[in-house]
Amino acid sequence: MEHPIIAILGGTGKEGTGLALRWAAAGYPVVIGSRELEKASQAAENINLMLGVKTVRGKKNIDAAKAADICVLTVIQSAHNETLDNIKGVLEGKILIDATSRVDYRDPKPPSPPSAGQQAQEILGASVRVVAAFQNVPAKLLSKGIGQPLDADVLVCTDDLEAAQQVIRLIEAAGMRGYYAGGLENATVVEGMTSILISMNKHYGLKDASIKVAGIPSA
Ligand SMILES: NC(=O)c1ccc[n+]([C@@H]2O[C@H](COP(=O)([O-])OP(=O)(O)OC[C@H]3O[C@@H](n4cnc5c(N)ncnc54)[C@H](OP(=O)(O)O)[C@@H]3O)[C@@H](O)[C@H]2O)c1
């Protein structure tokens, strides 16, 4: 089966670049989205050069969303709602993966409901299949050992089980294990886990603490 085209909106940033590198290395066509075409194209070219591929393109966020089968949102948290407002007309029937964690690393605190994913669903409407994932996967970890498995698991929250399965396949392609973790409402808790991980990083002098699930055998 042909791989879906993945657009990463805000893909010029740390988390988006890490995900783009992993999917491009796994053979997926990737579109890097940005507010600026030139910045997107440069970021895409950097990834192509790094991996020796030609499958990564750069586009403005709206055009990236149009070109994609599946979109991933990795803009800074303060631009979450505005970015979704700008692209809401072009995502009908598509999966939008929301990686947003509303936690300030300088003063980590668990965020309040509704989750960023629920806010995305509210803005985009019921025809868009919103899935929250990757909030606990640090960008620094993603960029290490591209093409190798990562010692991190990903919790997947959505009200659309079929979309969850598709996202779990993408997580596996990126070298991690994905687990269905309940509806979009649960994503507030997953975002809150980031507050815990940042606190642990500070305490232990690290940068890439993440999570692993125990007690569920691999499929
Ligand atoms: N960093 C991590 O380790 C990590 C881990 C898990 C989840 N996340 C989540 O991933 C998201 C991105 O985090 P990050 O650390 O990758 O952020 P980042 O590198 O600081 O920024 C990501 C991108 O946001 C875009 N952006 C900045 N200001 C914007 C604005 N006013 N409007 C629209 N877009 C704007 C920029 O893209 P352009 O300038 O190209 O438009 C930038 O490249 C956040 O929601 C965060 O919670 C991050």
Side-chain angles (χ1 to χ4, degrees):
M1 206 171 72
E2 214 167 278
H3 289 321
I5 300 170
I6 305 171
I8 306 184
L9 314 173
T12 55
K14 298 179 280 294
E15 184 76 359
T17 298
L19 289 169
L21 277 165
R22 288 195 159 262
W23 283 318
Y28 283 73
V30 173
V31 185
I32 299 289
S34 167
R35 287 167 295 175
E36 294 168 40
L37 176 59
E38 202 173 312
K39 191 173 170 187
S41 302
Q42 188 58 62
E45 196 44 34
N46 289 346
I47 294 174
N48 283 329
L49 285 172
M50 209 184 286
L51 299 178
V53 299
K54 291 182 176 168
T55 49
V56 184
R57 292 174 291 157
K59 287 183 182 288
K60 289 186 85 164
N61 283 327
I62 180 95
D63 297 321
K66 279 183 196 162
D69 300 306
I70 296 180
C71 292
V72 186
L73 184 67
T74 60
V75 294
I76 55 167
Q77 47 179 290
S78 57
H80 177 266
N81 289 6
E82 187 192 338
T83 304
L84 290 169
D85 261 328
N86 291 340
I87 57 159
K88 67 179 166 192
V90 304
L91 293 178
E92 186 109 348
K94 295 184 185 181
I95 292 175
L96 182 281
I97 304 174
D98 196 334
T100 308
S101 239
R102 295 162 299 146
V103 179
D104 181 350
Y105 72 93
R106 289 159 300 194
D107 181 25
K109 301 256 187 304
S112 307
S115 66
Q118 285 175 297
Q119 293 179 39
Q121 191 76 75
E122 179 70 28
I123 293 167
L124 297 172
S127 67
V128 180
R129 309 169 75 191
V130 178
V131 178
F134 299 113
Q135 302 99 314
N136 301 148
V137 186
K140 280 211 162 17
L141 194 61
L142 286 171
S143 314
K144 284 183 188 164
I146 303 299
Q148 305 295 319
L150 273 184
D151 192 25
D153 292 335
V154 181
L155 300 177
V156 175
C157 297
T158 176
D159 303 317
D160 181 334
L161 275 178
E162 207 276 326
Q165 281 313 312
Q166 289 194 51
V167 173
I168 287 170
R169 281 198 288 279
L170 290 186
I171 291 165
E172 288 167 353
M176 292 165 276
R177 288 197 306 176
Y179 292 91
Y180 179 66
L184 270 185
E185 200 175 10
N186 279 358
T188 302
V189 182
V190 183
E191 289 179 63
M193 289 285 293
T194 302
S195 171
I196 293 173
L197 294 169
I198 293 169
S199 304
M200 292 173 80
N201 278 336
K202 286 187 175 177
H203 183 78
Y204 292 103
L206 301 168
K207 291 212 158 93
D208 47 16
S210 191
I211 64 146
K212 296 270 286 178
V213 172
I216 302 181
S218 302

